Amino acid sequence: MARWQEGGCPTPVGLAAKYRMRTWLLTFIALQVTACSQLDRLTAVSAGDTSRAIVLGIADARFLPTDIKGISVLGQRLYEREAKYGAASYDTHTKEYFLALSGGGDNGAFAAGLLVGWSESGTRPAFKIVTGISTGALIAPFSYLGSAYDPTIAQMYSDIEQKDIFQRRPVLAGLTSDALADTAPLENMIARYLDTEIVERIAEEYRRGRALIIVTTNLDAGVPVIWNIGAIAESGRPERVALIRKILLASAAVPALFPPVMFDVTVDGAAHQELHVDGGASMQTFLYPVALQIGRTFAAKTPRTRIAYVIRNGRLTPDWSQVERSTLSIASRAVATLTINQGVGDLFRMYALTKRDGIGFRLAFIDDGFREPHPAEFDHAYMTKLFEYARAKSRSGYPWLTAPPGF
């Protein structure tokens, strides 16, 4: 017990003991909460079985980047379906377009505005393949379905604010659970926009020979996972809508900030669970695997002019900022810098791929013409201004770069 002076005030010795006791008590409580709050999960898939895990029994629901045979078969199937369906799904059989949408959080308003303005210019093509990661994954299904869904994209990125995406958890709860924030609002938003009708439309376009690809990161295995959304939509499984929603949520699940998403899988009939997070933990933008040589695999059989459009939801260089000499400030700045540089590396990789395979390269990104303050993540005013900035540039004819800056 603390010793007391006259007047009822504790002595310095008593105060020190009191604070030590409080510190020990808080530490004990934190350890107990941590021990009691460990979230249960099924056993992860072993390293050797990662490529054999199946979701909902759908064999072609997803691929690893190393599964070149499976991805090549998918590509061949798309062309066979296109030939069966007829030329109506494309402007012409002599041209083919790809669209890759990057991560970038609330900077997804850039891609949203660019796509809407592109439609308004009357020059936006239909895309053979659309890929999306993180915020790009949320836009991808609607850009895949065409300009008729531009109002949905516009509403998603110009009519929301932070509370529509996540809610911060109490500090102790955040540190002793699986994330600092709760993404129930984002989950609800995905469910509101991606309904059964949208999934049926995705299945229809997949039957026409078009692909929608979303990337997540399997954190157990430390590898990106390429989800074939069309195959899931077409499967007829009653769980298909819920699964696609989970994939979009997982692709946008920033590690530590947002909760990971658990996927139930089977290996030889045995049940397991995989823990998935943001596709941006593996890459910021995805076009197709390096080992898939489109120039050899498909170009000879289907000679066409092919153009890949890449929309980078962010800048290519970090904004200057004086970093405080504190652990959190240094860590935050380092992660932000790493993410931007990873994104630039992805652009160089995709550019090299397109040059190797004879595909045209087109790049859009947030340039220095946009300099609005960014006070907080998912700030409504910031997103609205970015959306309108990209929309105006695209409507008047966006100046696509034909190579990453520096080439």
Side-chain angles (χ1 to χ4, degrees), residues 247-362:
I247 293 167
L248 299 187
L249 183 64
S251 187
V254 181
L257 178 60
F258 293 169
V261 176
M262 305 302 300
F263 288 94
D264 296 323
V265 301
T266 58
V267 178
D268 297 332
H272 298 270
Q273 279 187 321
E274 295 175 345
L275 189 150
H276 285 235
V277 297
D278 195 333
S282 298
M283 61 189 81
Q284 293 296 306
T285 321
F286 174 77
L287 192 56
Y288 56 88
V290 173
L292 181 64
Q293 299 190 37
I294 289 181
R296 294 182 180 180
T297 308
F298 303 118
K301 297 179 181 179
T302 53
R304 295 175 180 173
T305 298
R306 293 179 167 88
I307 300 177
Y309 288 92
V310 179
I311 301 179
R312 162 74 179 161
N313 291 306
R315 304 184 187 278
L316 299 188
T317 56
D319 289 330
W320 187 92
S321 176
Q322 179 170 311
V323 181
E324 298 299 323
R325 193 174 178 182
S326 70
T327 301
L328 289 179
S329 295
I330 293 170
S332 297
R333 180 65 171 176
V335 170
T337 303
L338 174 64
T339 300
I340 290 175
N341 288 325
Q342 179 196 34
V344 173
D346 290 338
L347 297 180
F348 287 127
R349 170 175 48 80
M350 289 185 289
Y351 179 70
L353 282 180
T354 57
K355 289 295 129 183
R356 182 195 68 185
D357 295 333
I359 299 173
F361 182 88
R362 304 289 185 272

Side-chain angles (χ1 to χ4, degrees), residues 16-306:
K18 179 180 178 181
Y19 289 139
R20 282 200 300 271
M21 181 62 73
R22 181 179 296 174
T23 301
W24 292 338
L25 180 59
L26 289 174
T27 302
F28 175 76
I29 292 174
L31 290 174
Q32 292 301 308
V33 171
T34 302
C36 295
S37 64
Q38 293 296 317
L39 302 177
D40 293 333
R41 58 166 296 183
L42 297 181
T43 305
V45 178
S46 67
D49 289 333
T50 298
S51 62
R52 300 198 305 118
I54 297 178
V55 178
L56 292 182
I58 307 171
D60 55 350
R62 61 186 197 166
F63 306 92
L64 299 182
T66 53
D67 185 10
I68 301 306
K69 180 179 179 181
I71 296 173
S72 297
V73 169
L74 169 61
Q76 185 60 44
R77 185 181 301 125
L78 294 179
Y79 286 110
E80 291 171 355
R81 290 183 169 205
E82 176 194 299
K84 182 178 180 180
Y85 181 82
S89 67
Y90 293 94
D91 297 331
T92 172
H93 265 307
T94 63
K95 293 183 179 180
E96 187 171 286
Y97 303 96
F98 307 139
L99 175 65
L101 299 164
S102 84
D106 56 5
N107 281 329
F110 176 75
L114 191 152
L115 287 165
V116 171
W118 200 354
S119 296
E120 292 170 344
S121 74
T123 60
R124 177 175 155 188
F127 298 102
K128 175 77 171 178
I129 298 175
V130 175
T131 71
I133 292 177
S134 197
T135 194
L138 303 180
I139 304 171
F142 307 101
S143 58
Y144 171 77
L145 294 178
S147 299
Y149 292 87
D150 283 355
T152 300
I153 295 176
Q155 188 174 27
M156 287 174 64
Y157 281 87
S158 62
D159 194 29
I160 64 168
E161 51 190 317
Q162 189 178 101
K163 67 179 179 62
D164 299 308
I165 304 299
F166 66 90
Q167 294 176 337
R168 296 187 185 277
R169 291 171 171 167
V171 175
L172 185 59
L175 293 175
T176 56
S177 59
D178 57 359
L180 297 176
D182 180 1
T183 50
L186 176 58
E187 189 173 0
N188 292 334
M189 187 181 82
I190 292 172
R192 184 166 67 252
Y193 289 114
L194 196 136
D195 55 17
T196 302
E197 180 183 349
I198 294 295
V199 172
E200 290 301 326
R201 286 284 294 111
I202 292 172
E204 180 182 349
E205 292 303 317
Y206 183 59
R207 285 190 285 270
R208 296 180 178 187
R210 301 176 61 226
L212 171 61
I213 302 297
I214 301 298
V215 178
T216 65
T217 298
N218 179 340
L219 206 57
D220 295 314
V223 296
V225 176
I226 301 167
W227 294 87
N228 180 10
I229 303 300
I232 299 171
E234 189 188 44
S235 69
R237 295 294 301 260
E239 310 95 331
R240 65 191 185 281
V241 177
L243 176 58
I244 294 173
R245 289 171 177 171
K246 286 182 67 174
I247 293 167
L248 299 187
L249 183 64
S251 187
V254 181
L257 178 60
F258 293 169
V261 176
M262 305 302 300
F263 288 94
D264 296 323
V265 301
T266 58
V267 178
D268 297 332
H272 298 270
Q273 279 187 321
E274 295 175 345
L275 189 150
H276 285 235
V277 297
D278 195 333
S282 298
M283 61 189 81
Q284 293 296 306
T285 321
F286 174 77
L287 192 56
Y288 56 88
V290 173
L292 181 64
Q293 299 190 37
I294 289 181
R296 294 182 180 180
T297 308
F298 303 118
K301 297 179 181 179
T302 53
R304 295 175 180 173
T305 298
R306 293 179 167 88

